[in-house]
Amino acid sequence: DGTDLAWAAAGGGGKVLQVQQTSAFSRTTGSGTTYADCGISDTITCSETSSKVLFIASFHCKVDNNNASVAGVAVRMQVLRSDDAFVSDSNRVFEGSMYANFPEDSGMDFALAQVPCMVAVDSPSSTSELTYKVQIKTSWFESDLWEVASDVESGVYGKRGITLIEI
């Protein structure tokens, strides 16, 4: 349609070279203090080794302590990149966390429920197919349960998605 995808950047210009996006209405659950895949991933093949990849992921996430004697819950999230579909390599491109504090013995179910938006710019220096994925773990207690892509208010599955933009 002749649309120019050029954009002005501080100190220069650039172009959006391609956009890859996937989303789903589904749910992934887990527990424990070891990172686990949460069902959010996509691939992109950069056209130049000098390209950067803007990564955006958004999803519902909640965590439950299921232990009323503990006064808080926390979850950690990371974004990994691999050029061999995680057969032998991976690189962390982002790590973040969410935390909720609640009164001891409150008996709250799923005390932490948020919609994180993870955004990172990666410089992969590659023209191989790259896979980006999100992993989650609980921060403190092995028994804590996490859930991705549920609508906290209605109990139905929320949408989760990932967008990869080559710039």
Side-chain angles (χ1 to χ4, degrees):
D1 69 353
T3 302
D4 183 5
L5 295 177
W7 58 279
K15 287 189 181 262
V16 172
L17 301 174
Q18 67 173 304
V19 177
Q20 299 291 331
Q21 195 277 333
T22 186
S23 61
F25 285 98
S26 59
R27 180 176 81 160
T28 302
T29 61
S31 65
T33 55
T34 301
Y35 276 114
D37 293 349
C38 67
I40 302 172
S41 67
D42 202 359
T43 62
I44 192 169
T45 302
C46 292
S47 57
E48 302 175 21
T49 57
S50 60
S51 293
K52 298 187 183 322
V53 175
L54 174 62
F55 172 97
I56 304 167
S58 181
F59 51 94
H60 287 90
C61 181
K62 57 187 179 178
V63 64
D64 178 22
N65 182 276
N66 202 19
N67 180 350
S69 67
V70 176
V73 293
V75 66
R76 293 202 57 82
M77 303 160 290
Q78 70 177 1
V79 176
L80 298 178
R81 169 189 28 93
S82 174
D83 63 4
D84 69 357
F86 299 98
V87 172
S88 65
D89 79 330
S90 67
N91 296 284
R92 181 184 294 158
V93 295
F94 180 89
E95 186 173 29
S97 62
M98 297 186 306
Y99 171 78
N101 189 18
F102 53 91
E104 189 168 336
D105 297 325
S106 68
M108 293 179 67
D109 186 27
F110 288 108
L112 170 61
Q114 297 180 11
V115 181
C117 183
M118 303 169 70
V119 179
V121 175
D122 186 27
S123 300
S125 301
S126 175
T127 55
S128 298
E129 181 178 77
L130 303 171
T131 304
Y132 288 80
K133 70 178 178 180
V134 178
Q135 293 188 320
I136 293 189
K137 69 177 182 175
T138 58
S139 295
W140 301 321
F141 304 102
E142 194 69 33
S143 62
D144 287 358
L145 308 171
W146 56 262
E147 182 174 295
V148 168
S150 283
D151 183 314
V152 175
E153 296 300 320
S154 64
V156 299
Y157 299 147
K159 195 169 192 178
R160 59 176 162 197
I162 182 173
T163 303
L164 303 172
I165 304 171
E166 180 186 4
I167 50 177

